């Protein structure tokens, strides 16, 4: 499996997890952005509000 395939697979899994959390716990988009921001900051990234 190539790195790009792995990245796509991981992105798909994260997307599905967030959708499941959103439906089960009634998370709002703002809550999801906060969760994602906490994760990506550990790797030097930042979530941008588009």
């Amino acid at each position: 499996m190539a790195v790009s395939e792995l990245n796509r697979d991981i992105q798909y899994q994260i997307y599905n997890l967030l959708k499941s959390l959103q439906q089960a716990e009634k998370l709002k988009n703002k809550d999801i952005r906060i969760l994602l921001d906490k994760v990506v900051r550990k790797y030097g990234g930042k979530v941008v509000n588009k």
Side-chain angles (χ1 to χ4, degrees):
M1 180 181 289
V3 174
S4 61
E5 291 176 32
L6 180 62
N7 286 337
R8 276 184 271 161
D9 188 45
I10 290 171
Q11 289 173 5
Y12 184 71
Q13 290 176 14
I14 291 170
Y15 173 80
N16 285 333
L17 176 62
L18 290 172
K19 280 294 183 187
S20 297
L21 285 171
Q22 187 177 36
Q23 292 170 355
E25 299 186 24
K26 308 296 186 218
L27 292 177
K28 297 181 190 275
N29 287 339
K30 181 181 176 184
D31 300 325
I32 291 174
R33 269 195 307 276
I34 290 168
L35 292 171
L36 283 174
D37 194 54
K38 286 181 181 181
V39 171
V40 298
R41 283 187 184 268
K42 290 182 180 181
Y43 299 96
K46 180 179 179 183
V47 174
V48 178
N49 187 9
K50 290 186 178 182

